[in-house]
Amino acid sequence: MLLDTILGWLQSRIKPLYLKLEVLRGHTFINRFDSNSVLVDLGANRGEFSRLMSERYPFSKVVMVEANPDLAQELKTNFNQERFQVINAAVGPESRSSVKFHISNDPEASSIIKSFSEMEVGARKEVEVQMVTLEDIFSACGLKQIALLKMDLEGAEWDVLDRFSRDDYERIDQLSVEFHDFNDSSLRQRTEACINRLKSLGYSLHHTGADQRQGTPYMDCLFHK
């Protein structure tokens, strides 16, 4: 009888959470958004994820960070600047005025890691861009809280999450992260170290399981409170 009561209580807590799990363009999240919510899209590319999210949910603000200067200009042209803010910069562990960014023939594979940008179809060119931190983004955009941080940084995620702090935990409700250890399986340990760090801060982890094509269980990780 007591066991049934305990199981019933657990189900009442767990089921509503997982009923809210949603996936959009390969990123899992929980719909806990309202008109005060802020979305930050790190590695925005052409803004497809941000556009679809903003159409479905009542975000008050969407910040798109994209290192490729051409794509960043495209974002500024195509998105309403009153609701969307575009930052042309790479995201990393420290603020730097200039870092090398390698633009791939496949724009989605562009990276500060040259070997990653060459993985599929080769690097097309190299440009100098600014590097910003999570703290820089909070400050530049006047943010107090982020409802969802989407992170698709083509290998920069490890350095960013290595510096993830207790303050970041308090200010970021959810992270949807694509780890790129499928590019180099020797980096799996770094992925697992980042996961353990985020869990130690208080996040719970949901991930979709092994992707046999990519050979990693961490293509789509959701960290939530």
Side-chain angles (χ1 to χ4, degrees), residues 61-152:
K61 187 170 190 176
V62 177
V63 178
M64 296 181 287
V65 185
E66 173 53 48
N68 184 327
D70 294 336
L71 292 183
Q73 184 56 53
E74 187 177 310
L75 292 173
K76 291 177 181 179
T77 300
N78 294 338
F79 286 84
N80 184 331
Q81 297 297 298
E82 291 183 6
R83 188 180 181 194
F84 296 88
Q85 185 167 351
V86 178
I87 298 176
N88 178 204
V91 185
E94 60 185 4
S95 304
R96 296 175 61 179
S97 60
S98 180
V99 295
K100 291 181 179 179
F101 186 74
H102 307 280
I103 298 179
S104 172
N105 286 314
D106 175 5
E108 291 190 11
S110 299
S111 174
I112 61 173
I113 303 174
K114 186 176 182 180
S115 61
F116 279 20
S117 69
E118 296 173 336
M119 191 71 66
E120 296 292 337
V121 288
R124 176 164 55 87
K125 64 179 180 179
E126 182 179 281
V127 296
E128 296 284 334
V129 300
Q130 180 185 11
M131 177 180 282
V132 298
T133 64
L134 286 177
E135 184 60 42
D136 292 332
I137 294 168
F138 270 100
S139 178
C141 301
L143 305 180
K144 294 183 179 180
Q145 198 74 21
I146 295 174
L148 176 61
L149 179 72
K150 171 255 187 182
M151 187 178 295
D152 189 355

Side-chain angles (χ1 to χ4, degrees), residues 11-225:
Q11 289 174 350
S12 72
R13 294 298 185 271
I14 295 172
K15 189 174 180 181
L17 170 66
Y18 282 90
L19 282 175
K20 294 179 182 178
L21 281 176
E22 300 184 33
V23 182
L24 187 61
R25 294 192 65 84
H27 289 274
T28 299
F29 55 91
I30 300 169
N31 179 11
R32 293 174 175 168
F33 311 128
D34 59 35
S35 59
N36 295 314
S37 296
V38 174
L39 166 66
V40 175
D41 185 350
L42 304 183
N45 202 258
R46 288 191 162 87
E48 292 93 340
F49 180 80
S50 288
R51 178 179 58 80
L52 291 171
M53 289 292 288
S54 66
E55 289 173 354
R56 294 189 186 188
Y57 307 105
F59 291 103
S60 63
K61 187 170 190 176
V62 177
V63 178
M64 296 181 287
V65 185
E66 173 53 48
N68 184 327
D70 294 336
L71 292 183
Q73 184 56 53
E74 187 177 310
L75 292 173
K76 291 177 181 179
T77 300
N78 294 338
F79 286 84
N80 184 331
Q81 297 297 298
E82 291 183 6
R83 188 180 181 194
F84 296 88
Q85 185 167 351
V86 178
I87 298 176
N88 178 204
V91 185
E94 60 185 4
S95 304
R96 296 175 61 179
S97 60
S98 180
V99 295
K100 291 181 179 179
F101 186 74
H102 307 280
I103 298 179
S104 172
N105 286 314
D106 175 5
E108 291 190 11
S110 299
S111 174
I112 61 173
I113 303 174
K114 186 176 182 180
S115 61
F116 279 20
S117 69
E118 296 173 336
M119 191 71 66
E120 296 292 337
V121 288
R124 176 164 55 87
K125 64 179 180 179
E126 182 179 281
V127 296
E128 296 284 334
V129 300
Q130 180 185 11
M131 177 180 282
V132 298
T133 64
L134 286 177
E135 184 60 42
D136 292 332
I137 294 168
F138 270 100
S139 178
C141 301
L143 305 180
K144 294 183 179 180
Q145 198 74 21
I146 295 174
L148 176 61
L149 179 72
K150 171 255 187 182
M151 187 178 295
D152 189 355
L153 294 175
E154 301 299 321
E157 64 273 9
W158 296 295
D159 287 339
V160 174
L161 293 176
D162 279 345
R163 303 289 184 91
F164 202 88
S165 68
R166 170 62 57 178
D167 286 344
D168 292 326
Y169 168 79
E170 296 294 343
R171 298 183 295 181
I172 300 173
D173 299 331
Q174 301 180 61
L175 297 90
S176 185
V177 183
E178 180 176 311
F179 287 101
H180 290 78
D181 53 35
F182 57 84
N183 284 343
D184 183 349
S185 60
S186 69
L187 293 166
R188 186 68 48 78
Q189 289 184 331
R190 290 202 70 187
T191 295
E192 292 170 348
C194 288
I195 288 172
N196 290 335
R197 180 179 184 83
L198 292 173
K199 290 172 73 173
S200 73
L201 290 171
Y203 287 110
S204 296
L205 169 65
H206 171 86
H207 64 94
T208 55
D211 184 322
Q212 297 301 321
R213 181 177 62 85
Q214 298 288 6
T216 178
Y218 302 123
M219 279 284 290
D220 175 21
C221 289
L222 170 65
F223 300 91
H224 60 88
K225 298 177 181 177

